[in-house]
Amino acid sequence: MPYTTSGKCVYKKKKDGSKGEKVGCTKGSVKKYLRALYANTDEGIDKNSPEEELKLIIREELKAYLEKMAMDDFDFIDHYGEAEEVSHEDQLPENEVGSSLNCAIIGVGGGGGKMAKAFLDIGYNKTLLINTTSKDIPKDVDESHVVLIPDADGIGKDVNLGKSVLDANSAVVEDALRTKLGKVDWLIVMAGGGGGTGSAAASLHEVFVRYLKSVQADGDIIYVASWPTAQECLNPTISKNALSLINDVSKHSHVVIDNEKQVKLLRGKVGMLGMFPFANTAFAKLLTQVLRLSAEQSPIQSFDSKDLARCLNTKGRMFIGSTMITNPDSPNLGSMILQNCLKRSPCPQPTGRPKTGSLLLVVTPEMASDPEISKHLDAAISYVGGRTETLLSGVYVKEGV
């Protein structure tokens, strides 16, 4: 006899599947009650009758039903399995450069795009160039890295127009960030001061913030803004645009690249045509060394990802410089390191007392083993540390430095 249930009660099932005569109710498990009823169906049934075949079918159905109910009780376990990351078909490949931070490079405008290309060329695959005209996109950049603002065709050095166009097309940029970058924690946004599009880059700040929040990023936004050469600043429009950009990014973590200083440092070493491409590549390698060292272990002292994040999260202007000391046994090693970095950096010199600083020393095994040089290295760390509120340092040992 087939049965059906409703709550804690069991009914005979009619041929049309509806409930028939009530068999009984139970205060316990309705499953056990059903088992008992079906077990009693053996009584009075001829083993050779068609009812025996029906009984077997009913038993199989009951068995399948009970097994399904038991599985349903625990099917929630699979619902909380490991999360699978779904990649968009347009997502760019991962960066090939070693770094403790998961970052992407964003170039806005002509100058920013050229700076970003230098990072793309050395392995930062998660790089996007945003522009209002295709004419300012550097050659040999695959279109997968380009976000072209529709129906603009340039801004004509009009910052207000640039901000208006970028604001109106913020959805285009935000969609490109999500589909092409996937999840990154840090955005390094590059812009050239002087033009109309690059100088308006900060108008996209809320777009960058929304993107980072949407991917639950652990980092923030870092701006890299270039300041025009002295000759370029003779043009009032360029000077005004550059100042607008610097003012807009001043409340955020940012680096200023002084093009006049870069020209002086590179004059006589590279021709005019290759000067800024060379300078952009040099800066990309400089920043990459910091990102790479923060991912490496040191037998002496490490500058890890948390140290780097603390530096980058300090709001205001950042300074970055490097130098090579040929005479590490000098008693004035700390002063030499600081002064050389200040002179040879593409950034304007810092003003006031920095809130956070870092000193990364890369030495040979011979230097690290020399007691006299080690003493000078300790003194150098103390010297630089005394000129910042908080110093985060790392000492790395490498062959062939």
Side-chain angles (χ1 to χ4, degrees):
M1 170 65 67
Y3 301 100
T4 184
T5 62
S6 177
K8 292 281 188 176
C9 296
V10 177
Y11 300 82
K12 291 181 180 179
K13 184 187 289 185
K14 295 181 179 180
K15 290 183 179 180
D16 62 0
S18 62
K19 289 190 299 185
E21 180 185 349
K22 180 190 286 188
V23 177
C25 299
T26 178
K27 293 182 178 179
S29 170
V30 73
K31 296 179 186 178
K32 291 182 179 179
Y33 191 21
L34 279 171
R35 287 194 187 100
L37 288 172
Y38 280 117
N40 292 330
T41 56
D42 285 341
E43 299 177 3
I45 295 180
D46 182 358
K47 301 295 182 181
N48 298 320
S49 70
E51 292 186 20
E52 173 66 15
E53 182 179 353
L54 178 60
K55 183 187 72 171
L56 292 174
I57 293 173
I58 292 172
R59 282 181 172 172
E60 290 298 321
E61 289 180 350
L62 174 64
K63 181 181 178 182
Y65 169 75
L66 294 176
E67 288 178 349
K68 181 179 183 302
M69 288 191 69
M71 290 177 64
D72 287 348
D73 288 343
F74 293 95
D75 64 353
F76 68 89
I77 295 176
D78 287 338
H79 298 168
Y80 293 99
E82 291 185 7
E84 295 184 7
E85 186 174 341
V86 180
S87 299
H88 193 275
E89 60 182 3
D90 293 333
Q91 186 170 316
L92 296 169
E94 297 298 319
N95 293 331
E96 299 171 7
V97 181
S99 170
S100 67
L101 302 183
N102 179 18
C103 62
I105 309 297
I106 309 295
V108 183
K114 292 178 178 67
M115 285 192 284
K117 182 182 182 298
F119 283 81
L120 177 61
D121 288 344
I122 63 175
Y124 289 85
N125 294 323
K126 288 188 178 294
T127 295
L128 290 178
L129 278 64
I130 302 170
N131 213 323
T132 54
T133 175
S134 59
K135 300 180 181 69
D136 284 338
I137 301 296
K139 294 180 179 179
D140 304 323
V141 173
D142 189 87
E143 62 179 10
S144 61
H145 295 279
V146 177
V147 180
L148 199 61
I149 303 300
D151 304 322
D153 195 27
I155 298 301
K157 290 188 172 24
D158 186 336
V159 175
N160 292 329
L161 176 59
K163 291 180 177 180
S164 176
V165 169
L166 292 178
D167 287 342
N169 292 276
S170 61
V172 175
V173 177
E174 192 168 348
D175 182 64
L177 296 176
R178 290 202 179 99
T179 58
K180 292 178 179 289
L181 298 183
K183 182 186 185 305
V184 300
D185 292 315
W186 295 82
L187 292 179
I188 303 177
V189 181
M190 308 196 166
T197 304
S199 298
S203 65
L204 292 172
H205 185 79
E206 291 306 315
V207 173
F208 300 143
V209 170
R210 282 197 303 271
Y211 159 73
L212 291 179
K213 285 183 178 179
S214 72
V215 297
Q216 297 180 309
D218 295 326
D220 207 340
I221 304 151
I222 309 298
Y223 289 95
V224 178
S226 67
W227 183 263
T229 64
Q231 187 167 354
E232 289 173 325
C233 284
L234 293 176
N235 183 319
T237 300
I238 291 178
S239 179
K240 181 180 177 181
N241 289 353
L243 184 60
S244 174
L245 172 62
I246 300 302
N247 287 337
D248 287 344
V249 302
S250 61
K251 57 188 175 184
H252 309 295
S253 300
H254 68 284
V255 177
V256 176
I257 303 296
D258 186 347
N259 284 345
E260 179 67 22
K261 195 173 181 182
Q262 289 198 106
V263 168
K264 290 179 179 178
L265 290 170
L266 296 175
R267 186 171 288 138
K269 299 177 183 177
V270 61
M272 184 179 295
L273 185 62
M275 184 169 292
F276 285 112
F278 185 91
N280 292 336
T281 300
F283 178 75
K285 291 181 176 179
L286 172 61
L287 185 56
T288 296
Q289 276 300 331
V290 177
L291 298 176
R292 182 179 287 137
L293 287 174
S294 65
E296 297 181 3
Q297 292 184 336
S298 168
I300 302 176
Q301 186 176 7
S302 294
F303 175 80
D304 59 27
S305 60
K306 299 298 183 184
D307 295 331
L308 177 57
R310 181 173 179 179
C311 289
L312 297 179
N313 277 323
T314 303
K315 303 305 179 186
R317 182 167 71 88
M318 293 182 287
F319 173 92
I320 179 171
S322 65
T323 187
M324 183 177 292
I325 303 297
T326 57
N327 183 26
D329 57 353
S330 169
N332 298 320
L333 184 59
S335 175
M336 289 172 59
I337 291 173
L338 180 60
Q339 294 304 319
N340 282 0
C341 285
L342 292 174
K343 291 176 183 177
R344 299 177 184 180
S345 169
C347 305
Q349 292 196 14
T351 57
R353 184 181 177 85
K355 292 182 179 179
T356 307
S358 62
L359 175 61
L360 306 183
L361 298 173
V362 182
V363 300
T364 64
E366 293 77 19
M367 292 178 188
S369 301
D370 189 315
E372 192 65 23
I373 293 179
S374 295
K375 184 174 68 174
H376 294 323
L377 292 175
D378 287 338
I381 294 174
S382 298
Y383 179 88
V384 177
R387 281 147 183 81
T388 181
E389 291 182 13
T390 303
L391 180 70
L392 306 166
S393 59
V395 182
Y396 298 86
V397 181
K398 291 181 178 291
E399 295 280 359
V401 177

